[in-house]
Amino acid sequence: MEIRNPESAEAERIREVVDSSMTTSFRLSPGQIDGLVGDQFADEAIADKREDEQILLQVAETGAEIEETTITGFVEGRLEDGWGEVRWLFVDPEHRGKGIGTELYETATETLRDRGADHVCVSVLEANTEGHDFVERFDLEHDGDRRVEIADESVVNYVYTNPDVDANLPDSTAEDAADEEFPETERVDGQLTTTDDGTTVFINRDEKESGTAAPFFTTYEDDGYTEQYGFYCANCGSLGISMDNMDRLECSDCGNSHAERSTESYDDSYL
């Protein structure tokens, strides 16, 4: 395997890797995937990124043990305010299980540090149902949410950092995903709550599960998060969440649904 900078003529192959990876592992509709790929990875977009000294682009190319040499993975990072941020990382589903994602991540973070980054953070789309587990394997912790506009759609990025780093995250055009992202809620003594037939329910923002429209959050009967009540749908504010025998969640009010993360389909090769 070789990790290198991509050539301008390889934009089409990068899009193929991104598209197939998102189709396999992201909770996004085909239209959303098409819009995101076209917005972020079109020929012109990649050309502009290659010319930007603050942006890092690297690809993984298979070695001699594979019959045909091809790009099997892609990573994008950025330098900003002393931080190196890993923004995108994709591995072709046909080539997973070979450590490609891990190699891309480690090479990208090392390169960002060599270029002057004091700290490293990672952004993962909320819809990337398997990527969150991957990031946590590098001892990074969820440090906040950001709402960003991609292809005219508002999406949420989870930001992960090293818990030992005491520094402000880089400035960004992204907005914090604050309480307005939680319909039918209010703050009680600083904690996010909602009500069910007059009963106050506490929402634990650190316990999230992906949804097709918005995430689900675990709810509790007490402010110490010891007695679980159920789940809260961040799309409509409902507590009417059902769970089937495969641990899949679905909101009875708006249809927001969740697919359980599969540890069998997930491996160290994918972010």
Side-chain angles (χ1 to χ4, degrees):
M1 183 194 314
E2 177 186 4
I3 307 296
R4 60 172 175 79
N5 298 330
E7 303 292 337
S8 58
E10 295 173 323
E12 181 177 358
R13 174 55 186 163
I14 289 173
R15 283 193 297 276
E16 290 176 353
V17 171
V18 173
D19 186 271
S20 61
S21 182
M22 283 191 168
T23 299
T24 300
S25 305
F26 281 49
R27 296 288 291 174
L28 296 172
S29 69
Q32 289 174 314
I33 292 174
D34 289 344
L36 194 153
V37 173
D39 181 75
Q40 294 289 305
F41 305 103
D43 288 355
E44 183 177 352
I46 290 181
D48 289 343
K49 291 176 181 180
R50 290 181 68 246
E51 295 177 0
D52 190 332
E53 295 182 354
Q54 301 303 307
I55 293 181
L56 168 71
L57 300 181
Q58 292 178 327
V59 296
E61 188 175 63
T62 56
E65 73 277 6
I66 306 298
E67 292 183 4
E68 181 180 356
T69 299
T70 186
I71 290 175
T72 55
F74 169 79
V75 63
E76 176 182 327
R78 181 178 180 85
L79 287 168
E80 187 173 2
D81 297 334
W83 283 83
E85 181 177 358
V86 178
R87 291 186 165 184
W88 300 107
L89 196 157
F90 303 98
V91 174
D92 186 337
E94 295 184 1
H95 294 271
R96 293 182 183 175
K98 304 168 186 174
I100 295 173
T102 299
E103 187 71 19
L104 277 170
Y105 172 79
E106 292 179 344
T107 302
T109 54
E110 181 180 353
T111 303
L112 289 168
R113 291 184 184 279
D114 289 344
R115 292 186 181 184
D118 297 318
H119 316 292
V120 173
C121 63
V122 182
S123 297
V124 182
L125 277 187
E126 187 277 332
N128 183 353
T129 56
E130 297 175 348
H132 307 281
D133 293 333
F134 177 82
V135 172
E136 291 168 358
R137 296 186 183 191
F138 293 95
D139 296 326
L140 301 180
E141 293 184 357
H142 178 217
D143 195 26
D145 302 339
R146 288 177 177 171
R147 182 162 289 277
V148 295
E149 296 292 327
I150 299 178
D152 297 326
E153 286 208 36
S154 180
V155 296
V156 173
N157 263 336
Y158 292 179
V159 182
Y160 291 86
T161 62
N162 187 318
D164 296 330
V165 173
D166 183 17
N168 294 326
L169 287 168
D171 292 334
S172 174
T173 56
E175 300 178 354
D176 288 340
D179 288 357
E180 60 266 22
E181 307 300 336
F182 297 84
E184 307 297 330
T185 61
E186 63 178 355
R187 288 278 176 175
V188 175
D189 295 330
Q191 291 185 281
L192 193 65
T193 69
T194 188
T195 59
D196 187 20
D197 293 331
T199 300
T200 298
V201 177
F202 295 85
I203 301 171
N204 189 342
R205 292 185 59 183
D206 291 329
E207 295 183 12
K208 309 177 185 181
E209 297 293 346
S210 299
T212 53
F216 295 96
F217 294 83
T218 306
T219 59
Y220 291 86
E221 298 179 6
D222 61 306
D223 58 7
Y225 304 144
T226 59
E227 297 294 329
Q228 183 172 347
Y229 183 86
F231 294 92
Y232 164 85
C233 173
N235 187 53
C236 68
S238 173
L239 292 173
I241 313 302
S242 62
M243 177 184 289
D244 64 17
N245 57 5
M246 296 295 291
D247 290 341
R248 290 188 294 258
L249 304 174
E250 183 172 358
C251 176
S252 60
D253 287 358
C254 69
N256 184 25
S257 60
H258 153 77
E260 182 186 14
R261 295 177 188 171
S262 170
T263 54
E264 294 181 359
S265 64
Y266 183 82
D267 53 58
D268 279 346
S269 69
Y270 182 68
L271 175 65

